[in-house]
Structures are given as structure tokens and as C-alpha cells.
Amino acid sequence: MAELKKGLGFFQLLALGVAGLIGSSWIYTNSKFFDKYGAGGMIFGMLLGGLLASCVALAYSELTTLFPRAGGEVVYSYVGLGRRASFTTGWLLIGAYLSSTAFYVTAFGYLLEKIWPNLGSVSLYSVNRESVDMTVLIIGVVLTLIIAAMNWFGVSLSGQIQTVLFVAMVVIGLALVVTALVTGSPSNFIPPYRADANALGDTLRFVVPGMTYMAGFGLVAALAEDADIPARKIGRITVLTVLTATLFYCLVLASSAWILPWQDVAKMHLGTIDAYTTAGFPILGWGAWIIAICGLLTSFLGLFMAISRIVVAMARARLLPEGLAAVDEKSGAPRRAILLTTVMTLLLGALGPGAMLWFLDTGGIYLGLVWIIVVITLSALPKKYPHLRSKYHAGWLPWVGAVGALVTVVMAIWPGTNTSLVWPGEYLVLLVWAVIGFILWRLAKPMGEDEALGSLLGSYADGLKENLGEVEQTPARS
């Protein structure tokens, strides 16, 4: 089985991970969240959500150290729990990541409306009472094809572009934070909750969306085979990705509640963007808008890459058609998987922002379930392969994140909670995705477990039969 080209260094993989987590909507919708939960509710809830996600990331770190292979969770769950769990994990991941890439198809055009207010003026059709504009859709199609082209010519180009965008976001974010500290006031932030609010309740209510903001850190594991660094460092990057993204989110959000009274920001249309413009820093207002654009592009690129690698992993074990695992010899890119990812993204993206609300909400459930499966896998491995241990042990902390994920999933599925899915559309999306997955599962052609593990793990498959306590020291290129 052909291997993916190893073109990512330490900083590039970290940039892909962190920038893939930092999306776009948070920086201009924070005004709505400030209004609903208070600045403290959003910021402290985001912090708690990030810490819970980092607990799960500890499990990813240990598993990635043992098995730095394309597809991440698909590989781990096959090794620890078997074929059925691996297919379930992969299908959930595709659904989760695809919901985001499809959202970006039209989201980019709507962000551009800040520059060109009349950009969206030709409505083609409506889905869930939201119109799909022709110009916005064309822009989204072109952007998707550009993202696909970046992947088509190999991972090195994508990594370089992602690194540049990541650095741009960090520099602008630091400018926002420093300006707020110098010209703002702590009195704008304190008290961080409304006088009549339940501070603890508002904070805990934002933990659920706070965890979903961290949902894409698994792409580091999915891209592990593309990395030209030791496996143990890849594992560390997984945790570092979550902690860095959490810090970035909280600092930038806090800056918008420091530069002006957060109660005023809560009444604004574009959150941080309007806050800095109103405070007399229009250039930084545009800087916040650039973060939104960069966040969209980096998330799009990172999750697009992750989907294609998940498809490759599933195809290697014949959980999807085996031909999708093909890798181009010259570029080292999985071009058939890239084509499939492009088609799926465009088909769902064409449904427009109305349908995307359904997909994004259900995507959070998929990711919560995947987190739980990964933690269970980590616990199951020592029982199945007692000799297979890395020097790094996550301990009991991953279960804290798994419990948080379970609460998130239950609150979303259970009717009547603050985060319940919308009836009937979002429940229907869950059902349809499950039915499609069941059909694909029935159509898949099984292969022997030894053959599947050999295909998924490559040279790392030897560690399942030998006492390889030093697995994490094996270079990623081997």
C-alpha cells in the first residue's frame, strides 16, 4: 500500500492544528453570546470547554504516539475495538468535518459582503427559509476548487499556506490584545455577568459550545502520516493544539470586552469587529475581520485535508471502496480521496446556510461520540495488547473529557434542553446520515483482520505482535 508523502514539519503541523481549530464566526457572533451569557459566561465557558477538550486530546496524544498513521481515530478504533467501531468512527468523522467544509462554501461569500454589501443579490432557491445566492455560491465553488488544488499537488504546499495564514492570525490577535490592555479598562469587563444573572449557570451553559469550538483538533491525528517528525512529537502537538487555540480564543474575546464595556459590545452587530471600530481603531476592526477570513480559510483547508485522510484510512481497510486509498506517486497526495471530498463538500454546500445550521449542530454530536470512542479505545488497548505501551500515559484525565462529551451529546439529543437539536430537521439529518452509513457498511467487502491492520498501520503493525515499548521513538518516516 502506497504511503503518503511526509512533507509537514513540527511548526507546520502545529499551524494546521491550531489554525484548523480557530474558525471565523466566533469573532463576529460573540456579541450575541455576550448578550446571552455575559462576557464572563462566554470566556470562562470557553476556557472550561477547552480544558475538557484537552483532556480528550491526552488520549489522542498517547494513541498518536503509538500509531502515527493517516486517519487517526479510524486506525485507533480498528486496533482497539475492531472493524465495526472503526467504520462508525470514520463515518462520524466524515459527517462532522464535512458539515464544516460545506458551511464554508457559502460562508466565505457572506463574509465578503462587509466589503461589497450588494454582493448577494440574485437568489437561486431557499432551504430552511434561507436563500442561496448565485454570486455567493459561485465564490464558494471557486474557493472549494482552490482548496482542492492545494491538496492535489501535495501536503507541503498546503502546509506552507496554512503556516502563513496562522502567523497572520497570531500577529493580528496580539495587536488586538495589546491595544485593549493599553487603551481599555478592567472596569469594562468587571463585573463579567449581568447583575441578575446566574454566573455559574451561564458559564456552564457555554461549556457545550466551547467544546465544539475545539472539535477539529483530531485533524492532527488524521495528518500524522504526512508529518516528517518523530511520533512522540506528533502526540504532543495534539495537546498543544488545543491549549494554544483555547488561549487564543479567550484572549481575543477578552480584548473585545476590555476595549469597551462588554454590555455595549453585546448590542453590536459584528462583535469584535464593531467593538474596535467603535473604540476608534478602524484598522484593528478590519484586522478582526481578517482573522475571520483567515480562520475560515485555515479551517476549510485543514478539515478538507483531514476528510481525505480519513477516507484513505477507511479505504485501506475496505470500509470504503479500496480504490479510494490510492496515492499519487509523484505528489504523494491521495487524489481520489481529494476528488470525493470535493464532490461531497460542493453537494452539501450547495444547500446553503439554512441547511448548514442543521449539519453543524449534528456535527457536534458526531464529534462528541468520536471522543468517547477514542477514550474507550485507549482503555481497551492494554487489555488486547498488554505489551503495547508508550512511555507517555494519559491516566484518568481523558475520561473527564469523555464524560463532558457524553453530557454534550445527551443535552443535544434530549428535547427541551438549552442545546437541544431543532425538530424535525436536525433529527432527520442524524437519521439520514445513520441510514447512509448502514448501507455503506453492508456494501463494504470485509478483509481479514491481520491484512486490514497491516494496511492501516504499515510497519507499525509489527508492534501488535512484538514487545515494542519504544514505539514512540520510531521516526514518522519509517
Side-chain angles (χ1 to χ4, degrees), residues 6 35 44 50 76 79 115 135 233 296 318 326 362 390 425 445:
K6 300 185 182 301
D35 183 56
F44 298 139
Y76 315 149
V79 175
I115 301 176
T135 306
K233 287 188 178 181
L296 185 150
R318 290 189 197 162
T362 54
S390 64
K445 298 179 180 179

Side-chain angles (χ1 to χ4, degrees), residues 2-5 312 316 325-335:
E3 303 287 314
L4 296 172
K5 184 177 180 180
V312 167
R316 283 174 171 174
V327 175
D328 180 70
E329 293 184 4
K330 184 177 180 180
S331 65
R335 290 185 169 176

Side-chain angles (χ1 to χ4, degrees), residues 420-454:
S420 297
L421 296 178
V422 177
W423 175 268
E426 294 179 353
Y427 288 92
L428 183 61
V429 170
L430 283 179
L431 177 62
V432 170
W433 196 249
V435 170
I436 295 174
F438 177 77
I439 293 172
L440 290 175
W441 166 257
R442 298 296 296 178
L443 293 175
K445 298 179 180 179
M447 64 193 306
E449 183 174 346
D450 288 344
E451 183 183 0
L453 290 174

Side-chain angles (χ1 to χ4, degrees), residues 37 40-41 44-45 192-205:
Y37 303 109
F44 298 139
Y193 301 91
R194 297 189 187 280
D196 59 345
N198 181 335
L200 178 61
D202 284 345
T203 300
L204 293 178
R205 275 192 285 272

Side-chain angles (χ1 to χ4, degrees), residues 21 52-69 71-77 89-90 92-93 96-97 211 214-224 231-242 306 310 364-379 381 390 392-395 397-399 401-402 405 472:
L21 279 181
L52 285 173
S54 67
C55 290
V56 178
L58 290 171
Y60 276 76
S61 181
E62 184 169 346
L63 291 167
T64 304
T65 298
L66 290 170
F67 309 118
R69 296 285 289 174
E73 300 96 320
V74 175
V75 178
Y76 315 149
S77 55
T89 301
L92 290 171
L93 281 171
Y97 292 164
M211 289 181 68
M214 307 298 163
F217 69 82
L219 68 89
V220 174
L223 297 173
R232 187 167 186 174
K233 287 188 178 181
I234 301 174
R236 290 172 177 171
I237 289 174
T238 308
V239 179
L240 187 58
T241 289
V242 181
I310 293 164
I365 292 178
Y366 302 152
L367 284 168
L369 293 173
V370 169
W371 288 4
I372 295 169
I373 293 172
V374 169
V375 175
I376 293 173
T377 298
L378 183 63
S379 298
L381 271 178
S390 64
Y392 173 77
H393 299 293
L397 283 175
W399 281 103
E472 77 279 8

Side-chain angles (χ1 to χ4, degrees), residues 82-124:
R83 184 170 179 268
R84 191 185 302 273
S86 182
F87 176 86
T88 301
T89 301
W91 190 240
L92 290 171
L93 281 171
I94 290 174
Y97 292 164
L98 190 61
S99 66
S100 293
T101 58
F103 168 75
Y104 297 142
V105 172
T106 52
F108 186 67
Y110 288 119
L111 267 179
L112 293 180
E113 287 185 334
K114 179 172 174 59
I115 301 176
W116 299 291
N118 296 322
L119 182 66
S121 57
V122 182
S123 178
L124 295 175

Side-chain angles (χ1 to χ4, degrees), residues 227-453:
D228 190 23
I229 54 178
R232 187 167 186 174
K233 287 188 178 181
I234 301 174
R236 290 172 177 171
I237 289 174
T238 308
V239 179
L240 187 58
T241 289
V242 181
L243 295 176
T244 304
T246 300
L247 181 63
F248 184 87
Y249 274 130
C250 291
L251 286 177
V252 175
L253 288 170
S255 74
S256 63
W258 201 274
I259 193 78
L260 289 175
W262 67 262
Q263 296 90 342
D264 295 342
V265 179
K267 300 174 184 177
M268 296 177 180
H269 178 57
L270 292 176
T272 305
I273 297 173
D274 287 344
Y276 276 85
T277 301
T278 303
F281 302 99
I283 294 178
L284 290 178
W286 281 106
W289 179 82
I290 291 173
I291 287 180
I293 291 291
C294 288
L296 185 150
L297 295 175
T298 54
S299 293
F300 199 165
L301 180 58
L303 293 176
F304 190 99
M305 293 173 67
I307 293 172
S308 64
R309 272 56 179 181
I310 293 164
V311 169
V312 167
M314 294 180 72
R316 283 174 171 174
R318 290 189 197 162
L319 300 173
L320 290 176
E322 193 172 9
L324 291 170
V327 175
D328 180 70
E329 293 184 4
K330 184 177 180 180
S331 65
R335 290 185 169 176
R336 293 182 183 177
I338 289 170
L339 284 175
L340 177 62
T341 304
T342 304
V343 171
M344 292 191 297
T345 296
L346 290 175
L347 286 176
L348 287 185
L351 296 177
M356 290 309 101
L357 295 176
W358 296 337
F359 296 137
L360 289 173
D361 286 345
T362 54
I365 292 178
Y366 302 152
L367 284 168
L369 293 173
V370 169
W371 288 4
I372 295 169
I373 293 172
V374 169
V375 175
I376 293 173
T377 298
L378 183 63
S379 298
L381 271 178
K383 299 176 183 178
K384 193 171 183 180
Y385 304 102
H387 65 279
L388 193 63
R389 293 180 180 274
S390 64
K391 291 182 178 179
Y392 173 77
H393 299 293
W396 54 269
L397 283 175
W399 281 103
V400 176
V403 170
L406 178 62
V407 172
T408 301
V409 171
V410 171
M411 289 182 65
I413 295 177
W414 196 271
T417 70
N418 290 334
T419 58
S420 297
L421 296 178
V422 177
W423 175 268
E426 294 179 353
Y427 288 92
L428 183 61
V429 170
L430 283 179
L431 177 62
V432 170
W433 196 249
V435 170
I436 295 174
F438 177 77
I439 293 172
L440 290 175
W441 166 257
R442 298 296 296 178
L443 293 175
K445 298 179 180 179
M447 64 193 306
E449 183 174 346
D450 288 344
E451 183 183 0
L453 290 174

Side-chain angles (χ1 to χ4, degrees), residues 108-151:
F108 186 67
Y110 288 119
L111 267 179
L112 293 180
E113 287 185 334
K114 179 172 174 59
I115 301 176
W116 299 291
N118 296 322
L119 182 66
S121 57
V122 182
S123 178
L124 295 175
Y125 48 86
S126 296
V127 177
N128 192 26
R129 297 186 297 276
E130 292 280 352
S131 65
V132 179
D133 181 80
M134 181 179 68
T135 306
V136 169
L137 184 58
I138 291 174
I139 291 173
V141 170
V142 172
L143 176 63
T144 304
L145 295 178
I146 292 174
I147 296 291
M150 292 179 188
N151 283 269

